[in-house]
Amino acid sequence: MSAGSSAMVVENHYPHLSELTSHQKDKIAELRSKTKDILATYPEYDTDFSLLRWLMGWDYKIDVIIPKMRYAVETLVNLGMNNHQTTSDEQINKDIKNMSAVAEYFPGGIMGQSKRGDVVYMQAMAKAHPKTLVKAGPTSQLFQLCISETEMSFKIIRKAEEENQRKMGVIIIMDLDGFNMDLLYTPTLKVYMSLLTLLQNIFPDFARRIFIINCPTMMSAVYAMVSPVLSAQTREKVRFLDKDWKNHLIEEIGEENIFMHWGGNKKHEHPCGDIRMGGKVPESLWYNESHKLEGDKTKIAVSARSKTEVKIYGESGKHFHWLFRVSSGDIDFSIEKDGRVVWPVFRCLTEFHPEIGSFKVEETGEYIFVFDNSHGKIFGKDVKYKIVLE
C-alpha cells in the first residue's frame, strides 16, 4: 500500500449474499462460466458460496483455481458424493461408520451445528491407536472416509447457506486429551500429513475456526511438525485454548450444541454422543494373507519423477478388483479412461497393509491404471500388483 493511501479494507470472510461486493460477484460469474463442464457433473456444488470459497482460498486467481477445482469435483464425483443424500449430522456419523468396520477406530464425527449454523466437527485425535490402525485398512480407505465425511458436512453447510443466505464453514475441535508419543509414529504421521494436504486441496477455505483443547506440554513441538503442511489461511484459524476451553466453546458454539463430555448439555444416551472415539483396532480386523488376490502378481518398475501405466479392457457392469504393494515409500495411484480420472488420485503407503480396492465399470473400453512416482525425486520403486475383472 502506498504512502498516504487509505486504510486497507478488510474482506468480510462470511458475508450475507447481499453483502457480496461487485468484485466478488464478477469473479463468481467468471469462475462459473469457465467451469461449466466441471459443475455440470455435480449441480448441487454450483452455489455462489461454494465458488466464493475457491476464490477466497486461492486469492481470486481463477487460472490457478480451475485445475484444482477440476481435481476436487472429479474426486467427489468418483466417490459418489454427487448422488449421496445427506439429511442430518446423525446420518453422516452413521453413514461413515457403515463405510468400514475400521471406521469406528478413527476418531471423529459431526457434533452438530453451531448457533450460527456452522457444522461442528469433533476429533478426539489422541484416542487413536496408530500402530494397529495402519494394519487394519489401506491408506485410500482413510482418505475416502475423510473426504466423504467432509463433503457430507458441506452438503449440510450448503443447505444452511441457502436458508440463511450467508456463507458458513466448519468449526473443528481437536481434543488432545490422553496425548502420547505413539501418536507421532512416523509411518502414520506421514499418512496424516498426506491427508491434511489432500483435504486442503479438495476443500479450500473449509475451516472457520480450529480449536485445539487439552494441549499437552509439548504442544509447540507437535504443532511444528504438522504446521508445514497447513496453508497460511488454515494456520490463521488455529486457536490453542487454555483450561477455560469449555466456556469458550459454549460461547462460540452454544451449550445446547455440545455433547456433555465436552461441557455442553446436548442430549444423547452417551456423554460423547455418536462421535467415534478410537481405541486399539482388534486383531480380528487386521489384514491377513488370505485375501483372494494374494498369490502371483505382476512386477513393474516406476522410476523417480515418472509414472507407469497398465492398460486393461473393462466391460460395463463388471468390477475391477486390485491389490498391490510398493517396495518402499508411497506411490500415487489412480484410474483413467478417455483422458478422465474415474478413480481418485490417492497417495498410497503399503508398508503395513496392501492397497486394495474395487471399481464398477460403467463404460466398456480401455482403462488405464496409473502408478505415479513423480514426487519421488531420487529413488525408483517397484510395484507388485494383481488386477482382475469380474
Side-chain angles (χ1 to χ4, degrees):
M1 187 167 63
S2 61
S5 63
S6 59
M8 184 179 292
V9 176
V10 178
E11 182 178 56
N12 179 4
H13 211 82
Y14 293 91
H16 188 274
L17 199 61
S18 63
E19 296 170 337
L20 294 179
T21 66
S22 297
H23 173 69
Q24 288 173 328
K25 291 177 181 177
D26 290 345
K27 284 295 186 179
I28 289 171
E30 181 183 352
L31 180 57
R32 179 173 280 123
S33 69
K34 291 183 176 179
T35 56
K36 285 182 179 178
D37 63 319
I38 304 172
L39 296 172
T41 65
Y42 194 172
E44 178 192 334
Y45 193 88
D46 184 7
T47 72
D48 285 353
F49 290 133
S50 287
L51 300 184
L52 186 59
R53 271 186 277 276
W54 280 99
L55 293 166
M56 287 182 163
W58 293 100
D59 297 324
Y60 294 84
K61 298 174 182 176
I62 289 181
D63 290 343
V64 173
I65 292 170
I66 291 174
K68 293 180 181 296
M69 184 173 164
R70 182 177 298 280
Y71 166 75
V73 176
E74 277 182 346
T75 299
L76 297 175
V77 171
N78 290 340
L79 294 179
M81 287 294 100
N82 55 325
N83 295 319
H84 188 279
Q85 299 299 315
T86 301
T87 57
S88 67
D89 52 277
E90 292 87 359
Q91 184 209 334
I92 293 176
N93 291 335
K94 183 178 180 181
D95 287 349
I96 293 300
K97 289 178 182 178
N98 288 338
M99 283 182 65
S100 164
V102 183
E104 182 66 44
Y105 300 94
F106 184 74
I110 310 301
M111 188 142 62
Q113 289 175 266
S114 72
K115 52 191 177 185
R116 281 190 305 259
D118 300 302
V119 165
V120 180
Y121 184 80
M122 170 60 71
Q123 187 171 54
M125 196 63 205
K127 304 301 183 185
H129 193 265
K131 290 184 178 181
T132 57
L133 202 54
V134 292
K135 297 179 181 180
T139 308
S140 65
Q141 185 180 80
L142 173 63
F143 294 162
Q144 291 176 64
L145 184 151
C146 292
I147 293 169
S148 298
E149 187 170 44
T150 306
E151 177 57 16
M152 289 177 197
S153 300
F154 270 102
K155 286 176 177 285
I156 289 181
I157 288 173
R158 287 193 289 267
K159 183 177 180 181
E161 288 175 335
E162 183 180 8
E163 292 173 353
N164 297 287
Q165 298 289 287
R166 181 176 294 279
K167 181 173 176 278
M168 295 178 182
V170 180
I171 296 174
I172 300 172
I173 305 169
M174 297 282 293
D175 185 358
L176 298 182
D177 183 38
F179 182 88
N180 62 81
M181 293 302 292
D182 281 351
L183 293 168
L184 303 182
Y185 183 48
T186 302
T188 50
L189 189 60
K190 185 176 181 180
V191 172
Y192 190 60
M193 299 285 221
S194 295
L195 174 61
L196 289 175
T197 301
L198 184 64
L199 291 177
Q200 289 177 107
N201 287 340
I202 296 176
F203 303 102
D205 188 37
F206 72 104
R208 183 166 191 154
R209 295 277 190 277
I210 302 175
F211 295 122
I212 302 180
I213 61 175
N214 292 312
C215 300
T217 53
M218 61 180 296
M219 189 63 230
S220 58
V222 174
Y223 186 64
M225 298 174 69
V226 177
S227 60
V229 302
L230 301 179
S231 67
Q233 192 179 79
T234 300
R235 289 196 298 270
E236 290 172 358
K237 297 172 181 179
V238 175
R239 299 288 184 272
F240 298 94
L241 302 186
D242 58 20
K243 293 180 180 179
D244 195 36
W245 59 265
K246 289 184 179 180
N247 287 330
H248 190 99
L249 293 183
I250 288 172
E251 181 180 343
E252 178 77 19
I253 299 168
E255 189 175 24
E256 69 281 8
N257 301 313
I258 302 172
F259 288 128
M260 292 176 62
H261 183 77
W262 292 282
N265 59 18
K266 184 173 182 178
K267 303 299 182 184
H268 197 279
E269 59 184 306
H270 301 295
C272 298
D274 50 359
I275 302 298
R276 305 184 305 277
M277 292 301 288
K280 286 186 177 182
V281 182
E283 288 190 34
S284 60
L285 294 178
W286 294 7
Y287 182 74
N288 61 63
E289 302 293 328
S290 63
H291 193 280
K292 65 179 182 179
L293 293 183
E294 288 288 3
D296 293 339
K297 300 181 188 65
T298 302
K299 181 179 177 180
I300 55 174
V302 188
S303 302
R305 304 173 186 264
S306 69
K307 61 184 178 181
T308 298
E309 298 179 345
V310 177
K311 299 179 180 179
I312 302 179
Y313 189 82
E315 297 178 36
S316 177
K318 292 189 176 183
H319 288 79
F320 281 119
H321 300 273
W322 61 85
L323 182 153
F324 68 81
R325 287 185 176 86
V326 186
S327 58
S328 63
D330 50 31
I331 203 149
D332 289 346
F333 172 72
S334 60
I335 306 175
E336 299 178 359
K337 185 183 188 302
D338 300 331
R340 296 178 290 113
V341 177
V342 294
W343 180 263
V345 181
F346 289 138
R347 184 157 294 178
C348 301
L349 179 77
T350 64
E351 181 179 355
F352 300 97
H353 193 294
E355 180 58 33
I356 301 173
S358 63
F359 168 76
K360 183 178 181 180
V361 178
E362 300 290 348
E363 302 174 61
T364 297
E366 185 178 73
Y367 287 78
I368 302 175
F369 290 71
V370 183
F371 298 91
D372 194 336
N373 190 32
S374 297
H375 61 288
K377 304 305 181 187
I378 300 175
F379 300 107
K381 297 163 186 175
D382 292 333
V383 177
K384 292 183 178 180
Y385 73 89
K386 189 170 185 178
I387 304 171
V388 299
L389 180 68
E390 296 179 338

